[in-house]
């Protein structure tokens, strides 16, 4: 599945469940994405390994990687709903990053 196909599917699934991207409330969707990253962090704080997947009530998959996937799904949904060419822009940014010097800008990490 390409990034574009994943974004289309994420948007279609979310829309079918009543979750529609509101262009006037993008900050909400971004904060929900941050929430998924926090949930990933909480999995690590609970002592779980990054590759660990477990299932909670209702056979819901849980774990660090699952939460990272949730964040990516939310961003893909938003990108597709806003006609952002995510696959192209990821390629563009990765190509730019390839040409950057090591630890550019004097950053420590």
């Amino acid at each position: 599945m390409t990034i574009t196909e994943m974004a289309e599917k994420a948007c279609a699934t979310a829309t079918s469940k009543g979750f529609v991207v509101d262009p006037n409330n993008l900050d909400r969707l971004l904060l929900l994405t941050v929430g998924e990253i926090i949930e990933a962090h909480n999995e690590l704080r609970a002592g779980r390994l990054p590759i660990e997947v477990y299932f909670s009530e209702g056979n819901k998959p849980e774990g660090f990687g699952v939460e990272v996937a949730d964040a990516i799904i939310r961003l893909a949904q938003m990108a597709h709903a806003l006609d952002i060419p995510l696959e192209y822009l990821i390629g563009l940014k990765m190509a730019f990053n390839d040409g950057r010097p090591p630890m550019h800008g004097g950053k420590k990490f």
Side-chain angles (χ1 to χ4, degrees):
M1 177 181 304
T2 67
I3 295 168
T4 300
E5 291 168 343
M6 190 247 328
E8 289 170 356
K9 182 166 177 40
C11 192
T13 299
T15 301
S16 76
K17 305 297 180 187
F19 299 103
V20 178
V21 172
D22 178 359
N24 297 313
N25 201 5
L26 295 179
D27 57 338
R28 179 178 182 210
L29 185 55
L30 290 173
L31 287 175
L32 289 170
T33 303
V34 169
E36 301 295 353
I37 299 299
I38 291 168
E39 289 177 8
H41 181 251
N42 287 339
E43 292 291 333
L44 297 178
R45 291 186 73 205
R48 295 191 182 88
L49 298 174
I51 61 168
E52 186 177 348
V53 176
Y54 61 98
F55 297 87
S56 64
E57 193 173 319
N59 210 29
K60 179 184 177 201
E62 303 279 359
F64 175 84
V66 173
E67 301 306 336
V68 170
D70 278 343
I72 292 168
I73 290 166
R74 285 191 182 276
L75 291 172
Q77 173 203 2
M78 179 180 64
H80 181 73
L82 298 172
D83 294 322
I84 295 171
L86 195 56
E87 193 161 357
Y88 166 75
L89 293 173
I90 289 171
L92 184 69
K93 183 61 177 172
M94 289 179 73
F96 175 78
N97 288 345
D98 281 345
R100 294 182 118 171
M103 303 303 289
H104 59 277
K107 297 177 176 88
K108 302 295 181 197
F109 59 91

